[in-house]
Amino acid sequence: MTSRIASTLLGLVLLFSSWEPCMGTNGDYLPYKDPNKPINTRIMDLMNRMTLAEKIGQMTQLERKNMTADIVKDYAIGSLLSGGGSVPKSEATAREWIDMVNEFQRGALSSRLGIPMIYGIDAVHGHNNVYKATIFPHNVGLGATRDPKLVKKIGAATALETRATGIPYAFAPCVAVCRDPRWGRCYESYSEDPTIVKELTEIIPGLQGDLPPHKTGIPYVGGKEKVAACAKHFVGDGGTTKGINENNTVADWHTLLSIHMPGYYHSIIKGVSTIMVSYSSLNGVKMHANYDLVTKFLKDRLRFRGFVISDWEGIDRITSPPHSNYTHSVLAGVQAGIDMIMVPMNYTEFIDTLTSLVKNNFIPMTRIDDAVRRILRVKFTLGLFENPLADYRLVKHVGSQAHRDLAREAVRKSLVLLKNGANADKPMLPLPKKSSRILVAGSHANNLGYQCGGWTITWQGVDGNNVTQGTTILDAITEIVDPSTEVVYSENPTTEFVKSNNFTYSIVVVGELPYAETAGDSRNLTITQSGIDTMSNVCGNTKCVVVLISGRPVVIEPHLGNIDALVAAWLPGSEGQGVADVLFGDYEFSGKLPRTWFKTVDQLPMNVGDKHYDPLYPFGYGLTTTKVQDQIASR
């Protein structure tokens, strides 16, 4: 009898211990806090308890700067973000990121209903805002790999490093189809070819986890090591006239569906949690105000069930100049179907404006409820109600050796060999590791910031080697060559210097300086003048291989005559060893152009399949080499 009573008491203890997290402050049972209830039941229960102010709070996303936990609590704020370069402090550790995110989260949890906020960040080529995180090649380089499995692994690594800093939401991937390299965001696009973009949406199950069977098209995040992903920028951002950022895309319905939309079809099929709207316009209509595409097509026809988020101050830019009629902007953006508004600064103005529009019947409660239902679905799917606070168990994964090895592999596979000697009988690559003296030159050879590009530590990117952790191309070359080989580095050598040193060969690493978004828009697509001068001084006086560091094809035809070998290395990120691995024959060249390489900018836009297609190097071009050990074995 005694054991039976003890068993009964134990059962009651277990019952009430599991019941407690589902209880409110007054001791009443709250179904929305019960993880055993279906998500739709939890959403309905919670929404029935929410006031208009709490619903609008959920639709509000704010920048972390000048935010406090009390603001998050008092306004029931649904989301916070870090813009490019917005960090807890310079060189913040993963633990310091977690502490910051958790402080804000405690503010959200102390609000009346305790709805957790979701923190988002631009982890677009690795967790690129974070000091010592692994920086992977930008998307244009991944497009050159043609390797969806590799890209999926990169997604998983990025998710793990992002979660290791307490952040559950990444504004990635960009599924734009860049049709004009003059666009400053072209390196964020995998390719000019929608088929490649479609295939590389495989990064989404990497970020979020593989969808369970029979769950196609439902927003999904598979556990504490995964993040909610964001397909962007809906839709047509890569097709603007002359590649001008945030400009107008002119396209008929067939072009829109066949070129710019396939990435979204496949993102939704793979369970993407959120979709971000583009700053650009389509046929003169701002996408942030495009009801037909955001609501009628994306939500109704494609049955997207996650939430739609604006870009940074995206609704402000519905008017010209931006913010000139904010009431109209809020009305047009919310009515178009945007669920979460990246405000991101003046929260009281947004909240007051949207509240007034609802109370005066300009925006119906059904639209507000649609937005909140979608936001809550993602939060429940993420497990934020059960595990709102991050812990420190994953911090070891930030910049881990396994992730750096993966990034190094991605660099190797992304390199495209455009020229290798004057003819096939006399290739220059792979280079011999054992030589008397070699020259490494160029502004990008010993500059980690330059080889990572924009969206690295800061929004526009950085200059120098003290910005994060990684390996420069110069360091990689020095490490890989034979110990007897003398490596001489000169950033901008003179002709006399080159002639007088009797170099066996030279490696010139030059390209574009870092940029992001509109700052990268270019009418001439040239590399730096110092890079042109270095190529002229070096390649005219010694055998040389030029390694181009750029986010897109650039003007190179006038310089080809002096160059013995030419490699497009794109923006390889933090692991410069991947470049040296292939240059010196430890691995073969295998990358293929994800973009058409033009002869002159006057040809642009020019894409594969165009009637007057006359490229310098066509889409899909890429020479191959064999590994040095394979060459030796065949002799």
Side-chain angles (χ1 to χ4, degrees), residues 127-250:
H127 198 10
N128 46 262
N129 280 279
V130 175
Y131 183 65
K132 292 186 177 181
T134 309
I135 306 299
F136 292 93
H138 266 298
N139 284 357
V140 65
L142 299 184
T145 71
R146 305 292 205 275
D147 192 340
K149 291 181 180 178
L150 173 68
V151 171
K152 182 178 180 180
K153 290 178 183 177
I154 290 171
T158 300
L160 192 53
E161 295 203 21
T162 305
R163 277 289 202 171
T165 57
I167 297 173
Y169 180 22
F171 303 131
C174 178
V175 295
V177 181
C178 175
R179 304 291 284 178
D180 192 325
R182 292 174 291 186
W183 185 38
R185 305 193 79 150
C186 202
Y187 63 74
E188 297 184 54
S189 168
Y190 294 115
S191 178
E192 70 187 49
D193 180 3
T195 301
I196 292 176
V197 174
K198 176 181 69 178
E199 290 171 350
L200 297 189
T201 58
E202 194 63 13
I203 196 172
I204 291 170
L207 290 164
Q208 297 193 156
D210 290 309
L211 275 174
H214 313 301
K215 294 289 185 179
T216 300
I218 296 174
Y220 175 78
V221 182
K224 297 179 184 179
E225 296 184 358
K226 299 297 182 181
V227 297
C230 179
K232 62 185 189 182
H233 307 84
F234 188 82
V235 58
D237 51 338
T240 58
T241 300
K242 297 182 179 179
I244 299 172
N245 192 43
E246 305 183 25
N247 200 19
N248 185 42
T249 296
V250 178

Side-chain angles (χ1 to χ4, degrees), residues 421-432:
N423 55 65
D425 296 330
K426 294 183 179 180
M428 184 175 178
L429 299 174
L431 298 169

Side-chain angles (χ1 to χ4, degrees), residues 3 25 35 77 98 138 201 204 238 292 306 341 480 482 493 573 587 602:
S3 63
T25 54
I77 297 300
I98 288 173
H138 266 298
T201 58
I204 291 170
D292 286 341
I341 311 300
I480 203 171
D482 189 88
Y587 294 83
D602 295 334

Side-chain angles (χ1 to χ4, degrees), residues 320-375:
S320 182
H323 204 82
S324 56
N325 186 340
Y326 194 61
T327 300
H328 168 73
S329 292
V330 174
L331 175 64
V334 173
Q335 283 291 65
I338 300 172
D339 304 311
M340 183 176 282
I341 311 300
M342 195 183 292
V343 176
M345 300 295 186
N346 196 341
Y347 58 95
T348 54
E349 181 187 26
F350 170 73
I351 289 170
D352 291 347
T353 302
L354 182 52
T355 301
S356 175
L357 287 168
V358 175
K359 286 186 174 179
N360 288 288
N361 299 317
F362 289 99
I363 295 177
M365 275 305 300
T366 52
R367 173 73 272 271
I368 301 299
D369 286 344
D370 171 61
V372 176
R373 186 179 300 112
R374 291 167 177 275
I375 293 165

Side-chain angles (χ1 to χ4, degrees), residues 18 46 397 545:
S18 63
L46 178 52
H397 294 292
V545 53

